Amino acid sequence: MIEVKDNVFALHGEATTLLLRVNEYGLIEHLHFGERVDADDAEAFICRQGLGWGESVLLREGDTASCPDAMPLAWSNPGRGDYRESPLALAGQPADFRYAAHEIVAGAVPMASGLPQAHGDAQTLHITLTQTNAELHLYFAIHGDVLVRRAVIRNTGDVPMTLTKMMSSLIDLPGDYEMTTFDGGWIAEMRASTVPVQASRVVNESVTGFSSHRHNPGFLLSESGATEDAGRVYGFNLIYSGNHYAAAQRSLQGLTRVVQGISPEHFHHVLAPGEAFETPEAVMAFSPCGRAELSRRMHRFVNAHIIPPHWQGRERPVLFNSWEGCMFDFNHRKLVALAKDAAELGCELFVLDDGWFGNRNDDKAGLGDYAVNRKKLPHGLEGLAKEINALGMQFGLWFEPEAVNMDSDLYRAHPDWALTDGYAPLLSRHQLLLDLTKPEVRDYIVDNVCAVLDSAPITYVKWDMNRHSIALGARAHAYILGLYDVLARIFRPRPHILLESCSSGGNRFDLGMLCYGPQVWCSDNTDPIERLTIQGNLSLLYPQSTFGAHVSAAPHAQTLRNTPLCTRGNVSFFGCLGYEMDLGHLLKLEREQIRDQIAFYKRYRHIFQFGDFRRMHSGWQVSGEGVTLAAMFRTLTHAAPGYGTLRLTGLDRHTRYHLSTMGQRLRIGQFGSLVKHVAPVNLDPNGLILRAADRLITLPDGKQDMHLSGAALMAGVRLLPGFRGTGYDENQYTLTDFGSEMYIIEEENTNAES
Ligand code: DGJ
């Protein structure tokens, strides 16, 4: 809802308000973004300049309140007295945009450039500012509690205008903040780094051509000392998959300026007379009470206003993916055998990953080609998909359409379609990118991918992309527009296809890609202890319905860590569950455990994927439909553990709940040489008998079962004792390093007769 009172605009979300005013100099002042207040409160938020700041450059001679450098703004004019981070650069020319008009528009104003955008029925405030040779349009809308804004600049003069920086948003927030960014690389995504925002700029930027795992476009600004449940926290993101930029800087007056948009590095856009440039949408949310509430607001926004409407609230299938189990080494027979195993375990979707086309037997050849490799798949994709469908599973397929190997029929036919820069080609994973700024390249991809999708019953696509760009320079933005065009042409007419985007794992985990496909492969790193960081930090800004989360083999390929199967499952449950391993190597007891895991997940899938997620000390919880699922994760076990506590949040203190554990079985091998002390004969822990027993026999671990109030659960429930080196007991937790426990907390129907 939008209120306009005199020169004040109030945009209201459910619990949030954005207050802006047009000041007497025609600049758009930012008054407040935070708790819900009224337009009538605007007065309370005005920053008064009094007798000024001494050396101020003034917009009006003698008027000490007219210093733009000290104003809290929602946009600013570079070169005209505001020396803080600027939102645009017109090739060195100053800008002097002043308010001209505004309108309230029903719903979202469609993008003209083909960029993806938030959808929903929120009203939009459209403010127009003008200067002699240009118009600036600022769009603001609040979806739920999330502010979405963008800027459009139009050349109204009669000579070309060059843009070298054009941000989506600028905001000046009173107060001191710390900025948390999420940085990393391949198999090391989303490592949080927090620095105080002071007078020098703190920058979060990607220049790889893509949003990148180096610096996710999402970040936080928090009051010092903010926690999960206390303190003022702002979250920011960008609906964009290319080079991004955000900078935060604190002014002498105590205003923290934040700009967000496309990275200005290499950015160069010439606007002919009459032409306009449209920025991606910037996203911003606020929580007055810590990170948990911020995440809840962001999650609801992504689930309701970003992901394609077909997938809103729609449960995602449990999938099996061939990659980690087979890599390039498979054939029809082997895949069908795997699919039989996967179906028998409860998987609902079989995904054939890389290697099904061209001469693709390793990563050196074949990218760019689409002919099915008949040596591996003599019955084609259709034959394979039909057999998989007959097992009761859907069929999904991997593509990497943006890339080309030099050893491919496509490259031999069209070497000029690859992105090069006039120097010797720089390969990455033996591949180049295709030039998606060329319409003929986009047509080739769309035609071929659509032909494959229509050749067989394919209901899922993993869209991979495995290199950073070079050579894009000023065309980086045009490439991303090309990518969005391709995705829209392929998937908009096929909304039922579940698109999971991937880029060497989480190298393109962003809101732009999520507008086309509702989930993203978080990381090639499936080690569950590593995933606690990756998924845990993603969860600050993205909902768990967007996480591709798979159980893989142990010891893990990237860490060599041997993590119990229960923990691999318990971590992957908080996302879209999949399995990715050679199922033929599973022990019978592991199969049984996986079957139980999948059945458990299906029972609570809607809650795991769409419930209210909260991070706890040493664990995660998710709530919905009267059920809370809480997992406690252990990293290192210590001798003589004290009394453990499970403390939940967000429950109703007066409601009665039933708490139980999922229950897990302990392998005999985990007791090592201790077994000989309880066996009648002296058994060698490395001998045949105990090795066989480890494969066949399991012992029950402790199970908790209680009926209690929400108040008690939020105060903290004492857990069963832990293993203390004094023997095995069914009524204790005998978790080893990296063990975990899943608790199910269900509302009791107090009206039911007992
Ligand atoms: C990189 C992805 O992240 C992996 O999951 C897998 O699909 C490989 N590419 C296949 O080449």
Side-chain angles (χ1 to χ4, degrees):
M1 202 264 280
I2 299 181
E3 270 183 279
V4 183
K5 285 212 169 150
D6 304 325
N7 60 339
V8 171
F9 305 108
L11 281 78
H12 300 295
E14 284 156 25
T16 309
T17 295
L18 170 71
L19 276 184
L20 303 171
R21 73 162 181 162
V22 183
N23 69 17
E24 56 186 296
Y25 318 101
L27 300 183
I28 311 302
E29 260 186 42
H30 166 76
L31 299 182
H32 169 77
F33 180 65
E35 295 84 345
R36 192 166 164 140
V37 294
D38 297 326
D40 288 337
D41 294 324
E43 192 68 14
F45 297 99
I46 292 172
C47 292
R48 291 166 215 288
Q49 297 202 30
L51 295 183
W53 303 89
E55 58 171 2
S56 321
V57 171
L58 301 177
L59 293 176
R60 203 181 277 158
E61 174 59 14
D63 177 357
T64 54
S66 70
C67 169
D69 201 39
M71 291 175 188
L73 294 171
W75 193 265
S76 155
N77 289 319
R80 300 283 295 163
D82 183 351
Y83 300 98
R84 297 168 288 176
E85 174 84 19
S86 72
L88 85 164
L90 298 169
Q93 297 300 308
D96 195 9
F97 288 104
R98 307 290 177 112
Y99 170 85
H102 74 266
E103 59 172 341
I104 310 289
V105 185
V109 176
M111 287 275 190
S113 60
L115 281 166
Q117 67 184 125
H119 47 81
D121 53 10
Q123 291 176 310
T124 303
L125 169 65
H126 170 198
I127 303 178
T128 304
L129 300 98
T130 53
Q131 63 175 28
T132 42
N133 60 348
E135 275 172 5
L136 177 71
H137 301 271
L138 302 180
Y139 296 91
F140 303 83
I142 295 191
H143 296 275
D145 273 310
V146 174
L147 171 65
V148 176
R149 56 180 287 191
R150 71 178 191 270
V152 175
I153 186 167
R154 180 177 299 283
N155 180 356
T156 54
D158 44 22
V159 290
M161 171 182 268
T162 302
L163 275 179
T164 51
K165 178 182 186 185
M166 183 66 197
M167 293 289 106
S168 304
S169 107
L170 175 147
I171 194 164
D172 287 326
L173 297 167
D176 291 322
Y177 296 94
E178 295 173 342
M179 182 172 183
T180 303
T181 57
F182 302 98
D183 315 304
W186 179 63
I187 64 172
E189 293 88 346
M190 296 301 288
R191 295 187 175 171
S193 141
T194 300
V195 291
V197 178
Q198 294 177 344
S200 295
R201 278 182 296 196
V202 186
V203 169
N204 184 48
E205 181 176 26
S206 165
V207 294
T208 65
F210 302 103
S211 50
S212 97
H213 45 215
R214 292 178 174 228
H215 306 285
N216 191 278
F219 62 97
L220 308 179
L221 283 195
S222 320
E223 257 178 4
S224 170
T227 63
E228 280 293 310
D229 297 305
R232 299 170 75 79
V233 184
Y234 290 91
F236 299 82
N237 216 330
L238 196 66
I239 307 180
Y240 192 56
S241 310
N243 289 339
H244 61 82
Y245 178 86
Q249 180 185 34
R250 183 191 182 282
S251 73
L252 186 63
Q253 290 77 20
L255 298 175
T256 297
R257 171 161 292 186
V258 184
V259 301
Q260 293 169 268
I262 297 175
S263 165
E265 177 99 3
H266 301 307
F267 180 80
H268 184 93
H269 198 92
V270 178
L271 288 178
E275 272 182 4
F277 181 83
E278 181 171 59
T279 68
E281 288 186 328
V283 161
M284 182 176 171
F286 165 76
S287 159
C289 53
R291 293 183 291 265
E293 178 60 18
L294 179 83
S295 302
R296 200 181 68 87
R297 293 179 183 191
M298 283 294 198
H299 290 193
R300 291 188 170 195
F301 168 72
V302 175
N303 279 327
H305 301 287
I306 291 290
I307 66 162
H310 178 86
W311 290 100
Q312 279 172 22
R314 193 178 288 258
E315 292 182 8
R316 316 292 162 68
V318 178
L319 68 80
F320 175 82
N321 178 297
S322 66
W323 178 245
E324 289 195 21
C326 303
M327 304 253 157
F328 295 101
D329 180 21
F330 58 80
N331 56 34
H332 180 95
R333 204 167 34 80
K334 192 167 167 182
L335 294 176
V336 171
L338 269 173
K340 273 188 187 145
D341 271 349
E344 199 263 327
L345 293 173
C347 293
E348 299 157 314
L349 165 68
F350 184 89
V351 179
L352 174 55
D353 209 281
D354 198 354
W356 56 266
F357 51 90
N359 190 24
R360 185 109 172 128
N361 298 313
D362 56 31
D363 57 12
K364 296 193 175 67
L367 281 183
D369 298 339
Y370 289 85
V372 175
N373 183 322
R374 292 272 163 181
K375 277 195 200 139
K376 293 181 189 175
L377 303 174
H379 311 292
L381 291 172
E382 196 185 4
L384 180 64
K386 280 195 174 149
E387 273 197 61
I388 283 164
N389 287 168
L391 294 167
M393 269 194 294
Q394 301 171 50
F395 179 64
L397 199 61
W398 178 96
F399 292 85
E400 189 171 350
E402 295 162 72
V404 63
N405 286 120
M406 290 168 95
D407 182 1
S408 67
D409 293 341
L410 178 67
Y411 187 81
R412 282 181 281 274
H414 297 285
D416 54 313
W417 284 10
L419 269 173
T420 51
D421 54 6
Y423 298 102
L426 292 181
L427 298 178
S428 175
R429 208 189 183 210
H430 318 288
Q431 66 197 50
L432 295 167
L433 286 175
L434 289 170
D435 186 352
L436 267 62
T437 68
K438 291 190 160 111
E440 61 274 27
V441 173
R442 299 202 294 273
D443 290 348
Y444 172 83
I445 294 174
V446 172
D447 292 348
N448 279 283
V449 173
C450 289
V452 173
L453 292 181
D454 297 340
S455 73
I458 295 170
T459 56
Y460 164 103
V461 164
K462 180 174 173 187
W463 184 286
D464 204 350
M465 194 288 295
N466 287 297
R467 64 158 299 164
H468 300 326
S469 83
I470 51 153
L472 274 171
R475 289 176 300 158
H477 180 59
Y479 179 100
I480 296 297
L481 290 178
L483 170 64
Y484 291 147
D485 171 55
V486 163
L487 291 171
R489 283 160 66 190
I490 297 172
F491 294 103
R492 294 258 155 89
R494 298 172 181 77
H496 67 283
I497 293 186
L498 173 56
L499 169 61
E500 176 159 350
S501 78
C502 167
S503 178
S504 308
N507 187 28
R508 212 158 55 179
F509 202 119
D510 62 62
L511 297 180
M513 294 307 286
L514 283 168
C515 287
Y516 298 91
Q519 60 196 57
V520 186
W521 181 225
C522 302
S523 175
D524 280 354
N525 188 344
T526 47
D527 178 308
I529 304 304
E530 296 277 278
R531 281 287 180 125
L532 291 178
T533 303
I534 297 169
Q535 290 174 219
N537 285 338
L538 278 171
S539 76
L540 286 159
L541 294 163
Y542 303 92
Q544 59 280 13
S545 66
T546 62
F547 305 167
H550 298 179
V551 172
S552 61
H556 191 263
Q558 281 124 16
T559 57
L560 300 181
R561 192 181 352 250
N562 204 347
T563 311
L565 185 50
C566 74
T567 301
R568 286 178 267 156
N570 287 343
V571 171
S572 301
F573 290 159
F574 291 88
C576 301
L577 178 67
Y579 287 78
E580 190 161 342
M581 53 174 64
D582 192 336
L583 299 176
H585 293 163
L586 290 175
L587 299 174
K588 183 165 168 283
L589 55 88
E590 290 175 318
R591 281 174 192 277
E592 281 163 11
Q593 200 176 340
I594 290 179
R595 207 176 292 117
D596 290 349
Q597 285 181 338
I598 295 178
F600 174 79
Y601 180 75
K602 286 181 180 169
R603 183 156 165 218
Y604 297 111
R605 164 167 35 196
H606 202 80
I607 305 167
F608 277 123
Q609 294 180 354
F610 299 103
D612 278 346
F613 179 91
R614 286 158 193 263
R615 295 158 297 270
M616 302 182 279
H617 180 63
S618 308
W620 294 334
Q621 73 168 72
V622 69
S623 308
E625 301 163 21
V627 178
T628 291
L629 301 148
M632 300 291 283
F633 301 108
R634 170 180 303 204
T635 45
L636 291 184
T637 297
H638 295 291
Y643 302 112
T645 299
L646 172 72
R647 183 172 291 117
L648 303 179
T649 51
L651 302 181
D652 175 36
R653 51 178 291 101
H654 302 294
T655 301
R656 301 287 303 173
Y657 293 89
H658 176 210
L659 176 145
S660 58
T661 26
M662 185 181 162
Q664 52 181 295
R665 312 276 312 172
L666 306 169
R667 299 270 296 265
I668 293 288
Q670 93 174 46
F671 295 93
S673 59
L674 285 178
V675 178
K676 81 174 191 186
H677 301 304
V678 291
V681 285
N682 186 353
L683 289 174
D684 174 359
N686 292 316
L688 272 181
I689 297 180
L690 274 186
R691 291 225 312 266
D694 182 47
R695 292 161 161 260
L696 296 170
I697 305 170
T698 56
L699 297 171
D701 196 24
K703 279 193 170 187
Q704 205 123 13
D705 199 292
M706 290 181 187
H707 299 266
L708 70 180
S709 68
L713 279 158
M714 292 191 289
V717 176
R718 293 300 160 257
L719 298 175
L720 294 180
F723 177 73
R724 294 180 182 141
T726 44
Y728 161 77
D729 178 35
E730 270 195 45
N731 296 312
Q732 74 183 11
Y733 289 133
T734 310
L735 300 178
T736 51
D737 285 352
F738 315 115
S740 62
E741 192 62 71
M742 176 69 74
Y743 298 91
I744 303 116
I745 299 99
E746 288 172 292
E747 269 179 27
E748 290 190 321
N749 184 352
T750 41
N751 298 326
E753 286 175 32
S754 53

